[in-house]
């Protein structure tokens, strides 16, 4: 029987025995694989090479071939004297048979690898693992001949089985990606969207299969990373090919969505955790092309947001305010917020981060400018339905402001601040429309504050003032409750500011301590009544209760140093308290000497100058009184 015969072995045969065993060969340069020899010697083989092949025992079959090739190569190198002619013929037959058997092994092994996506059962996994280990075994045999001259190594080495394996994987991946198709019920507008999505879904499906069924068949390497690199390159090539052509806005969006969100999500899938080092994969699209696509997308979305907001504002201009639950209402804020929120969230998903979407919010700022102009024109033209329009839009202003404040991520800080400032000014303009007539109606009563009549009949003057305020508040109808409270808060602040301004008009001079204490007591009582009325009406400005009592304290103090300390305290609480306010208030205390008055003012000016650079807390003025004195206008 010749070496490598595929005929069944009837009896147990040691693989070390073949027709060449009678020759004693000593080749110092020959690299005998003692590991393979020892493995085969350790157990007697009961099956032929072909039987092992048929039963997927690829590692044992490979060892049989390695044993045969080593014996054949040893014989080819040495030659055997007089028997040389006969052996040459035997060698040629054996080499041809060896090559044929190796091709059979390689075909069977690669066929098994090619079925890796269909592997499910434990037996199928074991067959694939055998194929992988057989390839590793061949690679080890190739490495034994690294660095050996071509004429000193077997002509069939190296066999490059691993290279053939990798080429096969790439060919398989290419074919699967080319043949990838979506279900017919998936609705996409273009072939580009269909192709990208089909390939992306195929990639995800295949990587998850590899992780579940194939990973364990490659015990010596992370095969998931290998497949990920191949799929990544194929997907990368396709996206770059698509991006080289001019894309519609919809196709551009689809490409960016896969690059920035969908594809990274696949690589970070929980079932692939720790298996794919995606951070070291090259970018799907070069930065210069990505920037062009992102610019196209952002420009498209800016135009979309601008068009939509302008359409919403145009509808608002033409609409008549509706009464809902006895309150005037408008859909403007709901429509704009829904549009902006949906667009920003989808853009973040497409672009991969909030920082890239922030540019779009500039369009919202421009919309708010136009919105402000619209409401100002309603007031300026004194439209017949101005009252209803403003009442309907105050809730819109409030909702837009809350939305921007509660969603900081999409907005750059300067745009956020500018938008909030715009909405605050717009709200204050609307409030002024309602409060100015009230103040005008109370003008006569205001004129009594800070006069001798006020000092003598302060309770009557205060009651007259508050009765008028109460009547006007009661007359405000059809306004959303939260907005009514904001309007009342604004009126609360303005009334108190006007009250303090009238006290600083220098209409009375308190020459002695008795008068000063009388005025201080009147201020405290008036403060309690004002606070009670506005709090009951819903004012948020609860801290305003302390302003008049703190100013009253200045009237009661006569020690210049104590007055200085009180002014420092006031300046810490109200950073906008100015030199003019202090001078006007201290003018009431006629018993202060010119030198004391000068010293007190100098101390305040010096301290105030050191702290004037500190900023106000930035809270809404309807919820903070730290800028109260800026409302007290001094001529």
């Amino acid at each position: 029987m010749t070496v490598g015969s595929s005929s069944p072995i009837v009896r147990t045969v040691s693989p070390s025995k073949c027709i060449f065993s009678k020759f004693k060969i000593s080749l110092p340069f020959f690299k005998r694989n003692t590991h393979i020899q020892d493995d085969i010697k350790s157990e007697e083989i009961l099956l032929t090479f072909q039987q092992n092949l048929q039963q997927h025992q690829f590692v044992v079959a490979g060892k049989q071939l390695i044993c045969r090739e080593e014996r054949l190569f040893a014989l080819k190198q040495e030659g055997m004297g007089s028997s040389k002619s006969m052996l040459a013929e035997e060698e040629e037959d054996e080499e041809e048979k060896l090559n044929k058997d190796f091709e059979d092994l390689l075909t069977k092994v690669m066929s098994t690898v090619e079925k890796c996506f269909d592997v499910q059962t434990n037996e199928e996994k074991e067959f694939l693992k055998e194929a992988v280990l057989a390839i590793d075994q061949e690679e080890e045999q190739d490495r034994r001949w690294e660095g050996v001259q071509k004429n000193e190594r077997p002509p069939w080495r190296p066999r490059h089985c691993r290279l053939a394996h990798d080429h096969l994987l790439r060919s398989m991946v290419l074919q699967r990606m080319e043949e990838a198709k979506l279900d017919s019920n998936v609705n996409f507008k273009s072939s580009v969207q269909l192709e990208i999505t089909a390939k992306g879904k195929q990639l995800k499906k295949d990587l998850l299969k590899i992780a579940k069924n194939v990973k364990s068949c490659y015990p010596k390497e992370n095969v998931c990373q290998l497949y990920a690199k191949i799929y990544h390159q194929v997907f990368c090539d396709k996206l770059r090919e698509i991006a080289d052509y001019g894309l519609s806005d919809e196709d551009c969006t689809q490409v960016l969505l896969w690059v920035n969100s969908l594809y990274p999500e696949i690589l970070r899938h929980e079932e692939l955790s720790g298996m794919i080092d995606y951070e070291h994969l090259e970018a799907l699209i070069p930065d210069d092309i990505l920037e062009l696509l992102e610019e196209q997308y952002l420009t498209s979305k800016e135009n979309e947001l601008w068009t939509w907001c302008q359409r919403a504002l145009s509808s608002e201009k033409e609409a008549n305010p509706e009464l809902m639950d006895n309150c005037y209402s408008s859909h403007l804020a709901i429509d704009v917020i829904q549009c902006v929120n949906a667009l920003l969230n989808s853009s973040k998903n497409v672009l991969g981060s909030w920082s890239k979407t922030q540019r779009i919010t500039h369009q919202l700022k421009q919309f708010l400018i136009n919105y402000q102009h619209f409401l100002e024109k309603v007031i300026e033209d004194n439209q017949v339905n101005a009252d209803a329009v403003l009442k309907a839009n105050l809730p819109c202003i409030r909702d837009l402001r809350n939305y921007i404040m509660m969603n900081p991520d999409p907005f750059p800080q300067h745009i956020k601040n500018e938008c909030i400032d715009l909405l605050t000014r717009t709200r204050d303009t609307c409030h002024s429309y309602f409060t100015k007539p009230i103040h005008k109606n109370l003008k006569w009563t205001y004129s009594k504050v800070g006069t001798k009549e006020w000092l003598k009949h302060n309770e009557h003057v205060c009651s007259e003032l508050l009765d008028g305020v109460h009547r006007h508040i009661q007359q405000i109808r059809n306004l959303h409750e939260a907005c009514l409270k904001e309007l009342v808060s604004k009126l609360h602040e303005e009334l108190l500011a006007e009250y303090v301004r009238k006290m600083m008009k220098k209409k009375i001079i308190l020459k002695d301590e008795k008068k000063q204490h009388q005025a201080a007591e009147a201020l405290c009582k008036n403060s309690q009544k004002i606070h009670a009325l506005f709090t009951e009406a819903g004012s948020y400005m609860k801290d305003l209760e302390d302003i008049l009592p703190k100013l009253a304290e200045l009237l009661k103090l006569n020690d210049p140093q104590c007055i200085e300390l009180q002014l420092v305290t006031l300046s810490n609480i109200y950073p906008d308290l100015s030199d003019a306010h202090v001078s006007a208030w201290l003018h009431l205390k006629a018993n202060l000497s010119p030198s004391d008055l000068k010293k007190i003012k100098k101390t305040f000016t010096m301290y105030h100058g050191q702290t004037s650079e500190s900023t106000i807390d930035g809270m809404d003025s309807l919820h903070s009184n730290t800028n109260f004195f800026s409302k007290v206008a001094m001529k």
Side-chain angles (χ1 to χ4, degrees):
M1 181 177 67
T2 58
V3 176
S5 171
S6 58
S7 302
I9 301 176
V10 177
R11 60 183 179 81
T12 302
V13 178
S14 171
S16 62
K17 293 182 179 181
C18 64
I19 65 169
F20 303 118
S21 61
K22 62 182 179 180
F23 299 107
K24 304 299 182 183
I25 301 171
S26 176
L27 300 176
F29 60 88
F30 179 62
K31 299 188 175 185
R32 187 177 297 277
N33 191 338
T34 56
H35 176 69
I36 293 291
Q37 295 286 340
D38 291 344
D39 282 351
I40 297 180
K41 287 178 180 179
S42 65
E43 57 176 290
E44 294 185 326
I45 300 175
L46 299 178
L47 301 176
T48 66
F49 167 75
Q50 288 295 338
Q51 287 172 326
N52 281 320
L53 206 56
Q54 291 302 319
Q55 295 189 23
H56 298 84
Q57 300 295 327
F58 301 133
V59 174
V60 175
K63 288 178 181 178
Q64 289 175 318
L65 294 184
I66 290 171
C67 175
R68 286 164 54 190
E69 77 168 63
E70 290 190 349
R71 292 181 181 281
L72 175 61
F73 183 64
L75 183 59
K76 287 173 71 71
Q77 289 292 312
E78 183 65 17
M80 297 305 297
S82 61
S83 303
K84 189 171 183 180
S85 176
M86 179 193 71
L87 287 175
E89 185 178 344
E90 292 283 353
E91 291 169 19
E92 186 176 339
D93 290 344
E94 175 57 23
E95 183 175 345
E96 182 180 347
K97 189 165 191 55
L98 182 65
N99 287 333
K100 180 182 181 305
D101 286 347
F102 175 75
E103 288 300 324
D104 289 344
L105 173 64
L106 186 62
T107 299
K108 198 75 172 175
V109 164
M110 294 306 172
S111 175
T112 304
V113 171
E114 200 168 6
K115 298 174 183 174
C116 65
F117 289 103
D118 300 320
V119 167
Q120 289 184 344
T121 67
N122 289 334
E123 183 182 48
E124 290 170 338
K125 291 179 183 179
E126 192 59 37
F127 291 166
L128 178 57
K129 185 175 181 180
E130 275 285 316
V132 171
L133 292 176
I135 292 171
D136 291 342
Q137 184 172 264
E138 285 297 318
E139 284 295 295
E140 182 182 349
Q141 190 71 3
D142 280 352
R143 285 193 292 272
R144 292 179 56 237
W145 296 101
E146 287 180 356
V148 177
Q149 293 296 323
K150 187 175 181 180
N151 61 349
E152 295 180 358
R153 67 173 187 254
W156 53 81
R157 288 289 175 188
R159 294 193 184 276
H160 298 300
C161 290
R162 180 58 195 229
L163 187 60
H165 166 273
D166 291 350
H167 284 164
L168 175 62
L169 294 194
R170 178 166 178 79
S171 175
M172 290 161 50
V173 169
L174 276 170
Q175 182 178 354
R176 294 178 72 83
M177 292 289 273
E178 285 299 323
E179 295 175 354
K181 295 197 183 319
L182 281 177
D183 294 337
S184 57
N185 59 354
V186 176
N187 183 25
F188 278 111
K189 296 181 179 179
S190 77
S191 59
V192 169
Q193 296 174 41
L194 277 169
E195 186 173 14
I196 295 174
T197 305
K199 285 176 169 38
K201 288 184 177 294
Q202 185 69 50
L203 180 151
K204 178 180 180 180
K205 177 182 176 182
D206 288 353
L207 286 181
L208 291 176
K209 276 186 179 180
I210 296 300
K212 182 179 179 181
N213 298 324
V214 180
K215 178 178 179 292
S216 61
C217 302
Y218 285 75
K220 295 184 180 180
E221 68 174 305
N222 180 5
V223 74
C224 294
Q225 182 71 17
L226 173 62
Y227 272 98
K229 285 182 178 179
I230 299 173
Y231 273 102
H232 180 85
Q233 189 59 55
V234 173
F235 197 50
C236 181
D237 292 343
K238 177 51 65 176
L239 286 180
R240 293 183 183 193
E241 176 188 333
I242 290 173
D244 281 341
Y245 299 95
L247 297 176
S248 67
D249 290 341
E250 291 79 8
D251 291 344
C252 173
T253 298
Q254 192 69 13
V255 170
L256 289 173
L257 182 63
W258 274 98
V259 169
N260 293 318
S261 291
L262 299 180
Y263 185 66
E265 284 176 9
I266 292 173
L267 298 184
R268 291 193 291 265
H269 195 283
E270 60 180 359
E271 293 182 30
L272 299 175
S273 178
M275 300 179 194
I276 299 177
D277 186 11
Y278 55 85
E279 293 182 356
H280 290 87
L281 296 174
E282 67 173 320
L284 281 174
I285 294 180
D287 289 343
D288 56 339
I289 297 178
L290 184 63
E291 288 175 5
L292 291 174
L293 292 176
E294 289 179 344
E295 176 63 28
Q296 177 182 345
Y297 176 82
L298 286 168
T299 301
S300 168
K301 292 305 168 184
E302 284 175 327
N303 293 335
E304 183 181 334
L305 181 59
W306 172 252
T307 301
W308 210 100
C309 286
Q310 289 306 109
R311 187 181 300 141
L313 185 56
S314 296
S315 297
E316 180 64 22
K317 291 177 181 179
E318 297 172 1
N320 288 317
E322 300 175 357
L323 272 175
M324 185 177 296
D325 296 330
N326 293 322
C327 296
Y328 284 112
S329 64
S330 166
H331 300 292
L332 178 68
I334 295 175
D335 293 344
V336 169
I337 289 172
Q338 286 180 346
C339 173
V340 171
N341 195 57
L343 192 145
L344 290 177
N345 279 300
S346 65
S347 297
K348 189 258 183 183
N349 199 29
V350 170
L351 298 176
S353 69
W354 284 120
S355 61
K356 292 183 178 181
T357 68
Q358 291 182 341
R359 179 178 129 183
I360 302 173
T361 60
H362 288 247
Q363 302 305 315
L364 180 60
K365 173 191 167 185
Q366 189 57 50
F367 160 74
L368 294 178
I369 292 174
N370 293 343
Y371 184 42
Q372 180 185 34
H373 291 165
F374 157 61
L375 293 177
E376 287 174 345
K377 185 165 179 57
V378 169
I379 296 172
E380 181 183 340
D381 294 348
N382 195 24
Q383 295 181 7
V384 175
N385 64 344
D387 186 274
V389 170
L390 298 182
K391 286 178 179 178
N393 278 277
L394 277 171
C396 293
I397 296 169
R398 187 173 186 273
D399 290 343
L400 287 166
R401 191 176 189 279
N402 289 341
Y403 170 73
I404 294 171
M405 292 186 70
M406 294 169 62
N407 293 275
D409 291 336
F411 296 91
Q413 190 61 44
H414 71 285
I415 292 294
K416 175 186 174 184
N417 292 342
E418 289 170 4
C419 288
I420 290 175
D421 185 55
L422 275 167
L423 288 166
T424 300
R425 293 203 307 269
T426 304
R427 181 197 62 194
D428 290 347
T429 298
C430 295
H431 283 169
S432 295
Y433 172 84
F434 294 104
T435 60
K436 278 184 179 180
I438 297 176
H439 296 305
K440 183 177 181 180
N441 185 262
L442 297 175
K443 184 176 181 180
W444 174 250
T445 309
Y446 279 137
S447 66
K448 299 178 183 179
V449 177
T451 63
K452 291 180 180 179
E453 181 182 354
W454 170 83
L455 188 61
K456 185 181 297 186
H457 307 290
N458 69 84
E459 289 189 12
H460 174 74
V461 172
C462 184
S463 296
E464 183 181 336
L465 183 64
L466 294 183
D467 287 344
V469 170
H470 180 70
R471 283 196 309 274
H472 283 289
I473 293 176
Q474 293 301 310
Q475 291 171 3
I476 299 175
R477 296 283 184 273
N478 308 126
L479 181 59
H480 190 278
E481 183 180 0
C483 296
L484 176 60
K485 290 181 178 180
E486 289 183 342
L487 178 57
V488 168
S489 299
K490 185 67 174 177
L491 181 59
H492 185 182
E493 182 185 52
E494 290 177 349
L495 180 139
L496 200 60
E498 183 64 14
Y499 188 105
V500 172
R501 190 181 74 83
K502 289 297 185 181
M503 288 294 300
M504 292 181 175
K505 292 285 285 184
K506 303 179 181 179
K507 293 181 180 179
I508 57 172
I509 297 177
L510 307 173
K511 295 182 179 180
D512 53 45
E513 291 185 21
K514 181 179 178 181
K515 292 289 185 183
Q516 292 168 10
H517 277 270
Q518 182 183 352
E521 184 178 350
L523 287 171
C524 292
K525 288 182 178 180
N526 286 183
S527 177
Q528 290 175 357
K529 290 182 178 181
I530 293 171
H531 179 74
L533 183 141
F534 278 103
T535 301
E536 184 178 350
S539 172
Y540 297 125
M541 306 292 283
K542 301 188 184 302
D543 290 344
L544 292 176
E545 182 183 18
D546 298 329
I547 290 177
L548 291 181
K550 290 183 184 300
L551 290 173
E553 189 66 23
L554 282 171
L555 297 180
K556 291 190 288 185
L557 295 173
N558 288 296
D559 184 344
Q561 289 187 337
C562 291
I563 294 174
E564 289 173 6
L565 288 174
Q566 180 66 7
L567 286 173
V568 168
T569 300
L570 281 171
S571 183
N572 286 331
I573 299 172
Y574 311 107
D576 57 347
L577 180 67
S578 67
D579 292 350
H581 294 128
V582 171
S583 296
W585 195 260
L586 292 179
H587 178 79
L588 296 170
K589 294 178 66 65
N591 59 345
L592 279 176
S593 68
S595 60
D596 287 340
L597 188 61
K598 183 177 180 180
K599 184 176 180 299
I600 291 170
K601 291 180 181 180
K602 182 179 179 180
T603 300
F604 173 79
T605 301
M606 182 175 63
Y607 177 81
H608 192 260
Q610 293 174 349
T611 60
S612 61
E613 293 183 1
S614 64
T615 57
I616 297 173
D617 57 18
M619 290 180 63
D620 184 358
S621 61
L622 292 183
H623 297 272
S624 171
N625 66 346
T626 55
N627 61 345
F628 170 80
F629 282 94
S630 63
K631 311 293 191 305
V632 181
M634 301 298 298
K635 293 182 180 180

